[in-house]
Amino acid sequence: MPAETLTQAPPTRQLDLSGLPALLRTREAFRRLCARLAAGERPSQPLGIPAAARSYVVAGLAAEGWPLIVLTAKTETARMLVDQLRAWLGDDGRRVLSFADPDALPFERIAWSAETRQARLRALTALAVWARPGEKGPPPVVVASVRALMQRTVPPTVLRQSLRALRRGETINPAALWSRWLQMGYQSATLVEEPGFCSRRGGIIDIWPPNEPFPVRLELWGDEIDSIRRFDPGTQRTLSDAALDRVLIGPGSEAMPLAGAEAAAAVLALDRSVCHPPAQFEFEREAAQLAQGLAFRGIEFYLPYLYAEAATLLDYLPKDGLVLIDAAADVAAMALELEGQALQLKQDLVKSGDLSPDFRAAYLTWETLRPRLEAAAPLILGQGGLDGYVTTTESAVGRLFRPGPRWGGQVKTIVEQIRTRQQAGSRVVMVTRQAARLADVFAEAGYPLGIHAHLTEAPPPRGVVLIQGAFDEGWEMEDEAGDLVFLTDVELFGWGKPRLRRSRHPRPLAPESFFADIQPGDYVVHIEHGIGRFVGLVRMNLDGIERDYLLIEYAQSDKLYVPVHQADRLARYVGPGDAPPTLNRLGTADWGLAKARARRAVADIAEELLALYARREALPGRAFSPDTEWQRELEAAFPYVETEDQLVAIEAVKEDMEKPRPMDRLICGDVGYGKTEVALRAAFKAIMDNTQVAVLVPTTVLAQQHFHTFSERLKPFPVRVEMLSRFRTPRQQQEVLKGLADGSIDLLQATGLLAAADADAFHGRAQPLHRGHQLLHPLPGLLHLRCLLYTS
């Protein structure tokens, strides 16, 4: 049985369901499939496994010891599959690897992020090492979308030749090793803070191989490696218990400038006559770096020029490995769609002068990729083939599974149905974010259940296991060996696991990024000289050296020549209206005086705000009570993953509400960023403290939308939600006001204009909002929370 049982919901942690794939091995259909695969046979027809159960079958094949490449049509499906496989295999991210999509679209000159480079190289290195004698570890499972697969990459022979293991006590040549790392795509830096960089300070060498989760510090005694330790890139301090006897150094980038000179020659031979000057400058500058054999940010743009052969992830498949395809027809359709988008993008970039028309494609076409996939004899998990046609087929493994039941939150039915399945001999596993609530329901029905944190052993027949966590969708597996019912929030409550949002990491802007949104004739602001007009890019010869300069024209025909590498000192002018600004004079105090006036104005505003907040701090307010169990249930039922900013805002609002002073907080965010959820949780917190809440919005449509959202989310709780807007008749409005007055309405959605028209009803004789918490949406994108006290 599960190894850990909790009396309350466990904290958020990696879900571990590694005890369940063992049950798949007891099924005759699965054993026959494994026997055929071991004999080198591949089913000629798709397996027809339901989508929800495919990750479970993939985990079963991985548990048999095969290295796997799993291909999906969509990026989001690949991410979801990675999460599920890590749960099924109890993996911490070392075995199940994501072969990430490139950050840039084909033909786009955008540098890949450190996270993308690391994810891709970890996957490639794991597959290459698996096939290397003496390096075998657990068989890797690499998941990729078709977009990631289409991207050209480093050939496996080149990557394997670049792998070098360093051992403690080994004698090295530091200068030769450093030169080798630069040729392998590493960049030199003062501090190593991201994968693909290296640093040297005397007898200490730092390097972060992308195939390693942390950077590594080599301490030398002369030319001998005295110690190898991992360190924290944030603090630059070695980690506790981080001493290593050996570390494998892989390439720093998929785009290694080993053949940089040949690549530079090919780039300079491109037809650049149609490119505008900044694009020509970029090609020449980066070709010079390639010729020197140096890596640089954005070198992946030149991948098709660095290697003679067009390699893909499939070339890394070990001899005993398997290729699995989630839905082959969808993969084919997506590949063709991506190919069409790439061709259109190339035409647009050539037309705008950003790209040479004969620039090579960094991706493989479907015509080239499909034969490679077919040669790998893939196992198609769903329906359809690589020809793009969908045909319905069934296999013995596919017939093991069927969709799970749907109970839509009917807790009494859930208890009855699960008890019935248990008595029939089924194993039942429930993974839900509402584990505490379900445990209470089962306890009230006389069937107490503990809440488990993980499941590392298969439950026995008639076993019912309740796990705190989130999963995408459930299923039932049934044959002569017995039933396994795997249930999630989709089956239990009708809503699924939230989709993780990719965290956005800020990227440093190169000075030449100024050209992205500026055109000759536009007004610009120089940080030192003020407002001028951008004329264009000019080339000048000073002291025998030719350089490019940005020409800025100021008042009375003054001219300023800004070196291209100082373009970050310029910004587009943004004014309060459409009227053209007054140009500054060079060599005068006008710009300095303007900046001084702006500083004084900012200081005045700050002084006014300080005085306002000082008065506000002195006012008495109401301190709301800490969160209740119902609040935690409401938050657990949120059908999305909260963003980091959302969580910060929610905690700040709760902290404000629990302080004994009036709250006045403005939350700003774009459409779809989760302001409504912040408002809903604040409103529910106030209601739980016996307070009525008014949510005021600027438009009738927004009031209707919020009324629907709040009503649906608060339906499981004894909370009455009503609305005042033009969509309500006068009689209905009077009934709502009456409900406010007698306290039967807990939350009111209303437009600001209607609330103002009914000011007497709110503040006069009737006083329907006895003690109120008010949430204002004065403008789209803004959420203003106020705590108002009304006394009867």
Side-chain angles (χ1 to χ4, degrees), residues 301-632:
F301 181 64
Y302 297 99
L303 264 169
Y305 291 91
L306 292 171
Y307 307 113
E309 58 179 296
T312 71
L313 175 66
L314 292 175
D315 297 305
Y316 286 81
L317 182 69
K319 291 182 179 179
D320 54 349
L322 299 176
V323 175
L324 310 179
I325 299 180
D326 176 54
D330 292 343
V331 166
M334 180 60 69
L336 291 172
E337 181 181 338
L338 291 170
E339 191 176 335
Q341 292 174 358
L343 292 174
Q344 182 61 52
L345 180 59
K346 182 179 182 180
Q347 292 176 11
D348 295 341
L349 291 172
V350 171
K351 186 177 180 180
S352 63
D354 292 299
L355 188 71
S356 168
D358 50 354
F359 195 86
R360 297 175 190 170
Y363 64 93
L364 271 67
T365 64
W366 181 241
E367 184 180 359
T368 304
L369 191 60
R370 178 182 167 184
R372 295 193 180 194
L373 267 174
E374 291 173 339
L379 191 65
I380 298 173
L381 302 173
Q383 302 284 2
L386 293 174
D387 56 5
Y389 292 101
V390 179
T391 55
T392 303
T393 58
E394 278 192 351
S395 68
V397 174
R399 286 191 294 270
L400 283 175
F401 300 94
R402 63 173 181 267
R406 295 294 196 271
W407 290 316
Q410 302 177 48
V411 290
K412 290 184 179 179
T413 304
I414 291 173
V415 174
E416 294 171 359
Q417 291 293 323
I418 288 178
R419 289 295 295 169
T420 300
R421 279 165 162 69
Q422 181 189 32
Q423 291 167 3
S426 299
R427 297 175 174 92
V428 180
V429 176
M430 294 177 284
V431 179
T432 172
R433 299 178 78 188
Q434 298 276 18
R437 180 183 176 192
L438 273 183
D440 290 341
V441 171
F442 274 89
E444 290 174 4
Y447 307 111
L449 289 177
I451 302 175
H452 297 285
H454 54 237
L455 186 61
T456 55
E457 295 181 13
R462 302 177 185 271
V464 178
V465 181
L466 180 59
I467 298 174
Q468 174 72 27
F471 212 85
D472 289 272
E473 193 173 352
W475 37 263
E476 294 185 57
M477 181 173 67
E478 179 185 10
D479 71 351
E480 65 282 353
D483 293 358
L484 171 62
V485 184
F486 181 72
L487 303 172
T488 69
D489 285 315
V490 172
E491 292 76 35
L492 297 170
F493 299 105
W495 46 267
K497 179 189 175 185
R499 302 285 185 227
L500 289 172
R501 301 181 185 179
R502 293 188 73 178
S503 57
R504 297 183 178 182
H505 299 273
R507 300 176 186 170
L509 293 178
E512 55 270 17
S513 63
F514 169 78
F515 295 110
D517 62 345
I518 206 76
Q519 297 294 330
D522 290 345
Y523 293 99
V524 296
V525 181
H526 192 283
I527 192 171
E528 295 167 357
H529 302 291
I531 302 172
R533 183 185 294 107
F534 176 59
V535 176
L537 192 72
V538 297
R539 194 169 185 85
M540 299 178 62
N541 190 317
L542 296 177
D543 299 327
I545 300 176
E546 285 195 350
R547 289 196 179 96
D548 289 311
Y549 293 86
L550 304 169
L551 175 57
I552 313 298
E553 187 177 66
Y554 285 85
Q556 299 187 13
S557 300
D558 291 348
K559 291 182 173 59
L560 177 69
Y561 295 90
V562 181
V564 168
H565 69 272
Q566 294 183 5
D568 54 343
R569 295 175 176 267
L570 291 166
R572 175 191 285 273
Y573 170 80
V574 179
D578 295 331
T582 301
L583 302 184
N584 293 117
R585 281 284 315 275
L586 291 179
T588 67
D590 293 349
W591 180 240
L593 291 173
K595 290 195 290 184
R597 286 194 299 270
R599 280 193 292 268
R600 287 196 298 271
V602 171
D604 291 342
I605 294 172
E607 185 177 352
E608 292 177 10
L609 287 175
L610 286 172
L612 173 64
Y613 278 95
R615 293 196 300 272
R616 189 171 288 157
E617 287 288 322
L619 292 175
R622 171 177 178 174
F624 287 89
S625 302
D627 286 1
T628 65
E629 185 61 36
W630 278 6
Q631 284 174 255
R632 285 186 281 272

Side-chain angles (χ1 to χ4, degrees), residues 701-782:
V701 172
L702 189 57
Q704 181 68 35
Q705 291 173 345
H706 279 7
F707 173 67
H708 175 74
T709 300
F710 277 64
S711 299
E712 286 298 313
R713 291 278 278 117
L714 299 177
K715 186 186 296 182
F717 305 96
V719 175
R720 183 181 173 189
V721 182
E722 282 293 350
M723 179 180 67
L724 274 178
S725 75
R726 290 187 297 103
F727 290 163
R728 294 296 173 91
T729 64
R731 181 176 178 180
Q732 289 174 326
Q733 293 179 21
Q734 290 300 319
E735 291 177 354
V736 170
L737 293 176
K738 182 180 177 182
L740 287 171
D742 61 25
S744 61
I745 292 177
D746 300 292
L747 190 146
L748 174 71
Q749 295 281 347
T751 57
L753 291 175
L754 186 58
D758 292 334
D760 289 341
F762 274 89
H763 302 289
R765 180 174 51 80
Q767 288 190 336
L769 201 62
H770 298 297
R771 279 198 172 93
H773 190 76
Q774 193 175 78
L775 285 69
L776 304 173
H777 285 250
L779 291 171
L782 300 178

Side-chain angles (χ1 to χ4, degrees), residues 128-415:
V129 165
W130 170 258
R132 194 175 184 180
E135 295 278 3
K136 281 197 174 183
V141 180
V142 177
V143 182
S145 71
V146 68
R147 180 166 173 252
L149 182 69
M150 293 172 72
Q151 171 68 45
R152 290 177 183 239
T153 187
V154 51
T157 53
V158 177
L159 185 139
R160 291 190 181 103
Q161 290 169 2
S162 71
L163 293 173
R164 167 76 186 278
L166 297 178
R167 294 173 174 81
R168 187 165 57 87
E170 180 181 352
T171 300
I172 62 171
N173 183 334
L177 194 63
W178 186 264
S179 176
R180 172 185 170 87
W181 287 347
L182 295 182
Q183 290 182 336
M184 288 166 54
Y186 285 92
Q187 300 176 59
S188 176
T190 305
L191 294 177
V192 173
E193 297 177 303
E194 63 179 69
F197 283 78
C198 55
S199 170
R200 185 177 180 185
R201 301 182 301 281
I204 297 177
I205 300 178
D206 292 346
I207 184 169
W208 192 341
N211 56 287
E212 283 285 325
F214 289 97
V216 174
R217 178 162 294 155
L218 308 177
E219 295 183 6
L220 304 182
W221 181 262
D223 289 345
E224 181 181 322
I225 300 176
D226 186 57
S227 71
I228 305 174
R229 294 179 178 274
R230 292 192 175 104
F231 66 92
D232 185 336
T235 63
Q236 296 291 305
R237 295 186 176 183
T238 57
L239 300 171
S240 59
D241 302 325
L244 302 173
D245 291 325
R246 174 184 177 278
V247 64
L248 183 66
I249 307 293
S253 169
E254 290 173 67
M256 291 186 280
L258 298 170
E262 294 86 345
V267 170
L268 293 176
L270 292 171
D271 179 11
R272 290 168 284 134
S273 61
V274 300
C275 298
H276 54 64
Q280 293 183 15
F281 172 78
E282 277 297 292
F283 279 120
E284 292 168 5
R285 181 177 67 86
E286 291 173 346
Q289 291 177 288
L290 288 172
Q292 298 175 48
L294 298 176
F296 50 89
R297 194 174 291 274
I299 191 175
E300 292 85 5
F301 181 64
Y302 297 99
L303 264 169
Y305 291 91
L306 292 171
Y307 307 113
E309 58 179 296
T312 71
L313 175 66
L314 292 175
D315 297 305
Y316 286 81
L317 182 69
K319 291 182 179 179
D320 54 349
L322 299 176
V323 175
L324 310 179
I325 299 180
D326 176 54
D330 292 343
V331 166
M334 180 60 69
L336 291 172
E337 181 181 338
L338 291 170
E339 191 176 335
Q341 292 174 358
L343 292 174
Q344 182 61 52
L345 180 59
K346 182 179 182 180
Q347 292 176 11
D348 295 341
L349 291 172
V350 171
K351 186 177 180 180
S352 63
D354 292 299
L355 188 71
S356 168
D358 50 354
F359 195 86
R360 297 175 190 170
Y363 64 93
L364 271 67
T365 64
W366 181 241
E367 184 180 359
T368 304
L369 191 60
R370 178 182 167 184
R372 295 193 180 194
L373 267 174
E374 291 173 339
L379 191 65
I380 298 173
L381 302 173
Q383 302 284 2
L386 293 174
D387 56 5
Y389 292 101
V390 179
T391 55
T392 303
T393 58
E394 278 192 351
S395 68
V397 174
R399 286 191 294 270
L400 283 175
F401 300 94
R402 63 173 181 267
R406 295 294 196 271
W407 290 316
Q410 302 177 48
V411 290
K412 290 184 179 179
T413 304
I414 291 173
V415 174

